[in-house]
Amino acid sequence: MPDLLAARSQMAVSLAFHIIFAVVGIGMPVLMVIAERRWQKTGDRIYLELAKRWSKGTAILFAVGAVSGTVLSFELGLLWPHFMEFAGPIIGMPFSLEGFAFFTEAIFLGIYLYGWDRISPRSHLWAGVAVAVSGAASGIFVVVANAWMNSPAGFDLVGGRPVNVDPIAAMLNPAAFQQTLHMTLAAFTATGFAVAGIHAFLLLFDPENAFHRRALSVALMVGAPAAVLQPISGDISARQVARQQPVKLAAMEAHFTTASGAPLTIGGWPDSKTGQTRYAIKIPYGLSLLAFHDPNAEVKGLNEFPRKDWPNIPMVHAAFQIMVAIGTYLALVSVWAGWVAFKGRGVTANRRLLQAIVLGAPMGFIAIEAGWTVTEVGRQPWIIHGVLRTADAVTPMPGLIVPFLLFTLLYCFLGVIVVWLLYRQIIRSPGSTEWTRVYVPTVTRRA
């Protein structure tokens, strides 16, 4: 394996592993805060049990995410020293702010875990809010840095070196808002549907279990609205890609020839040699309409760009199709669940809907992995779009396949441990039914 491929593969495995925990760190604190607030409002102790269990799960995932995130930080410097040398003065601020948000999240998560009977109910709830806000901020700052790699700003390039550096302008790059919005909604969708899917599966065998019914309602409260909004944020993000990275858009759509009124490609397998996409469904004017909101707009094809600047077309196109298909499915299931709830029929009483939610449980995370494949592979061969090539940023140190294999084994080991710990948390859930749940009239805890 060439060292460049080994370095890229190591970053890909590290990001694919870490992003799961980063996403859960954004979504799970919101679930536990909603559960605690419902306990305080209703006195239903099932919500208290949910909040405590979800907080423990959040702590497990936070700890593993901290390990994998630390590894990623070292990898940036060890594998890509030329990138850090170039980008550090420009985009170092969001990385610093991400560290601040991370430590804030760690502090308040500790307060939340150990403060149940030591601080007032209001303070405890606000500690959970702080965990949720800092977790979301941590993810946003990292995505801002990635957005800058896709749409570099905040500096002038003179003789191959950055001058007139403006860190604020770099953070407010043209892709920042679109990517952070899309990623944050994706985190809520993936986490909400993963939790909802687990409890929906258990409800199929125990329909009257009050614990799982409560958990499902809270999870859908977070995941469903985000899933409905996700296609809108995707449209905003795709239009930004059309303006800033036309070659990535062309790869996403397997669009080889520049055309006005370009068709939208659904499915198919692109052949980079012949410039054809086999077995695809073409929707006339669809790509021009979605990319520029004009059915007659011109969309540049891959043939407009040198082949050395093309990414891996089949990989990018397939990942994009997977992401869109999953996003559409989760949005439709969310609308279905909302309609059932609106009609007062009860989501838990609809077995087909429960089965659809179970099917969607892993889909949010699959879509996130596919979306990051589109973002990262679609930017190749650039590590900073149009400025610095990936091949010029990698370390000259040989033998990079060794750390790649070692860290892959480490992630496999950590993954097994996490699954086992979470399995214990889920399988030992209470077995109370709707008819035997216990209420506490008021909340009287004191510091």
Side-chain angles (χ1 to χ4, degrees), residues 276-288:
Q276 301 292 324
T277 304
R278 300 187 182 94
Y279 319 115
I281 300 172
K282 302 277 188 177
I283 299 178
Y285 305 100
L287 181 56
S288 294

Side-chain angles (χ1 to χ4, degrees), residues 26 179-191 222-223 225-234 368:
I26 294 173
Q179 279 197 220
T180 54
L181 174 65
H182 197 56
M183 188 62 213
T184 304
L185 288 174
F188 291 137
T189 301
T191 305
V222 173
V228 172
L229 293 173
Q230 189 73 332
I232 299 174
S233 72
I368 286 174

Side-chain angles (χ1 to χ4, degrees), residues 5 30 60 93 155 191 264 315 371:
L5 180 58
V30 177
I60 293 169
M93 183 178 291
F155 67 98
T191 305
L264 181 68
M315 182 181 293

Side-chain angles (χ1 to χ4, degrees), residues 8 248 311-312 315-316 372-381:
R8 288 183 59 191
K248 179 187 285 188
N312 185 316
M315 182 181 293
V316 174
W372 273 95
T373 299
V374 173
T375 298
E376 297 303 296
V377 178
R379 191 179 60 245
Q380 298 305 314

Side-chain angles (χ1 to χ4, degrees), residues 174-175 178 235-246 249 291-292:
Q178 293 88 342
D235 175 69
I236 296 171
S237 189
R239 285 189 285 123
Q240 185 275 329
V241 171
R243 294 190 301 269
Q244 300 289 329
Q245 296 175 287
L249 177 72
F292 298 101

Side-chain angles (χ1 to χ4, degrees), residues 28-312:
M28 280 304 298
V30 177
L31 295 177
M32 70 186 192
V33 167
I34 293 175
E36 182 179 2
R37 180 57 180 163
R38 283 198 163 188
W39 169 56
Q40 293 181 355
K41 291 276 288 184
T42 66
D44 187 346
R45 291 189 65 85
I46 293 176
Y47 287 118
L48 172 62
E49 182 68 22
L50 273 173
K52 288 187 174 183
R53 285 177 176 269
W54 281 343
S55 65
K56 292 176 182 177
T58 300
I60 293 169
L61 296 168
F62 178 85
V64 179
V67 174
S68 59
T70 303
V71 170
L72 270 172
S73 300
F74 282 107
E75 286 178 346
L76 280 173
L78 294 174
L79 297 177
W80 312 102
H82 301 301
F83 166 75
M84 295 303 293
E85 178 186 7
F86 184 98
I90 307 170
I91 205 64
M93 183 178 291
F95 284 117
S96 301
L97 293 173
E98 190 276 335
F100 176 79
F102 169 80
F103 285 117
T104 302
E105 183 180 9
I107 291 168
F108 282 99
L109 181 58
I111 294 173
Y112 192 88
L113 287 170
Y114 298 105
W116 282 103
D117 297 311
R118 295 174 175 83
I119 59 177
S120 68
R122 179 176 296 180
S123 298
H124 191 269
L125 182 67
W126 279 108
V129 172
V131 174
V133 172
S134 55
S138 180
I140 287 171
F141 288 131
V142 170
V143 175
V144 163
N146 181 265
W148 177 85
M149 295 166 67
N150 288 317
S151 183
F155 67 98
D156 295 320
L157 196 62
V158 178
R161 307 298 301 175
V163 297
N164 302 324
V165 172
D166 184 348
I168 302 298
M171 289 184 63
L172 300 177
N173 64 81
F177 171 74
Q178 293 88 342
Q179 279 197 220
T180 54
L181 174 65
H182 197 56
M183 188 62 213
T184 304
L185 288 174
F188 291 137
T189 301
T191 305
F193 265 90
V195 174
I198 291 169
H199 293 283
F201 176 78
L202 295 170
L203 280 169
L204 290 173
F205 301 95
D206 186 8
E208 296 300 328
N209 188 297
F211 180 83
H212 298 312
R213 289 163 72 97
R214 296 293 180 273
L216 178 65
S217 67
V218 175
L220 286 179
M221 188 184 302
V222 173
V228 172
L229 293 173
Q230 189 73 332
I232 299 174
S233 72
D235 175 69
I236 296 171
S237 189
R239 285 189 285 123
Q240 185 275 329
V241 171
R243 294 190 301 269
Q244 300 289 329
Q245 296 175 287
V247 66
K248 179 187 285 188
L249 177 72
M252 289 158 55
E253 292 290 344
H255 181 61
F256 289 93
T257 305
T258 300
S260 297
L264 181 68
T265 302
I266 298 178
W269 188 257
D271 187 338
S272 300
K273 293 181 179 179
T274 63
Q276 301 292 324
T277 304
R278 300 187 182 94
Y279 319 115
I281 300 172
K282 302 277 188 177
I283 299 178
Y285 305 100
L287 181 56
S288 294
L289 183 62
L290 289 176
F292 298 101
H293 286 186
D294 179 0
N296 297 309
E298 181 182 88
V299 180
K300 291 184 177 181
L302 286 161
N303 292 335
E304 289 282 328
F305 307 94
R307 281 194 172 248
K308 65 179 183 178
D309 291 341
W310 288 16
N312 185 316

